[in-house]
Amino acid sequence: MSHLLFPSPLRALQRLMLAALVSVPLVSAAQPQGQPQMDLRRVEITAGFHRIDAQVAQSPREREIGLMFRKEMPQQEGMVFVFEAPAVQCFWMRNTLLPLTAAFVDDDGTIVNLADMKPMTEDSHCSRKPVRYVLEMNQGWFAKRGLQAGVKLGGPLFATRPGAKP
């Protein structure tokens, strides 16, 4: 009976290790891996008379996941990444299944540069100058519409004054 009230240090360590092993699968199973984020807030962006339904990736975690794991995306949809302050932004395509074009966008909505990005690569694609916004669309979306650097996008994100949060 005394071994139940006062377990040996070895027995206590064994119980602790067993409890840790049993709980690890439960913790990792609770966090879905490889799932696209589909329920972010949305905003309308215009490019001339073209309308874009863009998911807004604003938090660090939302920006980190981005369009990873998406198997398809309608042509009029995209994702806009919103950063706290303008900086040179660089993107890659780890775990991203769709070919995308990134538009690096100034505070006033002007496209600074575009970069076509291949799926499942870690090549770095960067803005040519500090920007606060990056808009990702299906690859070729901008080219098919004749949109290039210097074109101004419209919408509530770009109507705010520089430094204001959208």
Side-chain angles (χ1 to χ4, degrees):
M1 183 104 170
S2 65
H3 73 280
L4 293 176
L5 295 176
F6 303 102
S8 71
L10 181 58
R11 189 168 297 217
L13 181 60
Q14 288 172 334
R15 287 183 185 161
L16 183 61
M17 289 174 61
L18 180 60
L21 287 174
V22 170
S23 66
V24 168
L26 296 175
V27 171
S28 61
Q31 297 178 356
Q33 294 293 322
Q35 296 298 314
Q37 52 187 355
M38 303 294 292
D39 57 353
L40 297 179
R41 175 175 76 93
R42 293 180 177 267
V43 66
E44 183 178 283
I45 296 174
T46 58
F49 61 89
H50 304 285
R51 300 208 180 285
I52 301 164
D53 178 21
Q55 288 183 287
V56 179
Q58 191 162 2
S59 75
R61 181 71 177 146
E62 291 167 350
R63 292 191 305 253
E64 180 183 330
I65 297 170
L67 288 169
M68 288 181 176
F69 313 112
R70 292 276 304 256
K71 294 180 181 169
E72 60 185 10
M73 184 169 62
Q75 283 300 308
Q76 74 282 2
E77 288 187 16
M79 182 173 284
V80 62
F81 297 78
V82 180
F83 295 88
E84 291 77 21
V88 172
Q89 308 296 343
C90 294
F91 280 58
W92 61 4
M93 297 285 284
R94 177 187 293 165
N95 297 321
T96 306
L97 308 172
L98 303 171
L100 300 171
T101 300
F104 298 95
V105 183
D106 221 342
D107 277 346
D108 69 354
T110 302
I111 297 174
V112 172
N113 63 293
L114 297 165
D116 285 340
M117 304 183 296
K118 293 181 184 175
M120 304 298 288
T121 61
E122 293 187 13
D123 300 337
S124 191
H125 305 276
C126 301
S127 60
R128 291 197 178 124
K129 70 177 209 172
V131 297
R132 184 183 316 268
Y133 307 102
V134 181
L135 174 61
E136 288 183 341
M137 298 292 291
N138 286 305
Q139 193 169 95
W141 188 90
F142 294 97
K144 287 176 189 170
R145 289 155 183 81
L147 304 172
Q148 54 193 326
V151 168
K152 195 166 183 177
L153 303 177
L157 290 178
F158 314 119
T160 59
R161 4 173 261 289
K165 289 199 173 197

